[in-house]
Amino acid sequence: MVKVEGTLDELRALLGRAERATATASKTVKEVKTTAKKTRRKLSEWQRYIKNRANHIKFKRGSKKGRLDLAAMSKAFKRSKK
């Protein structure tokens, strides 16, 4: 362990400014994020139908109470297409 003594200005001259180092590091991270981003594909009609909460049909009783009734939703989706 090395002990470093001096005024704040002297230490900044020796070690450099921390703000500048963090700014450049965050800038490079942002550049990498933008290049690594994938293009999202369009959702299918069924996925868009499922996403809409107004179309949700849920079981009202029994062991599946509160879960989505996908069979009923599928029938409703197919009927809505006609």
Side-chain angles (χ1 to χ4, degrees):
M1 182 79 113
V2 177
K3 186 174 182 182
V4 180
E5 292 182 356
T7 64
L8 189 57
D9 293 328
E10 292 171 344
L11 292 175
R12 283 189 177 141
L14 284 173
L15 304 173
R17 295 199 67 132
E19 298 95 21
R20 193 173 28 192
T22 56
T24 56
S26 64
K27 184 179 177 185
T28 54
V29 167
K30 286 179 185 175
E31 289 173 1
V32 170
K33 278 186 182 178
T34 55
T35 57
K37 189 176 181 182
K38 291 184 179 179
T39 56
R40 293 182 59 96
R41 64 176 179 76
K42 185 180 177 184
L43 294 177
S44 68
E45 288 185 45
W46 169 248
Q47 288 170 325
R48 280 183 272 145
Y49 182 85
I50 289 285
K51 194 175 180 181
N52 188 351
R53 288 185 59 89
N55 297 325
H56 286 188
I57 300 172
K58 296 187 177 183
F59 289 101
K60 294 181 181 175
R61 62 181 91 86
S63 61
K64 295 183 181 180
K65 182 178 179 179
R67 293 186 189 175
L68 289 179
D69 188 353
L70 293 175
M73 288 179 71
S74 174
K75 289 174 192 169
F77 173 71
K78 289 174 185 174
R79 285 191 198 116
S80 70
K81 300 277 288 172
K82 292 182 179 180

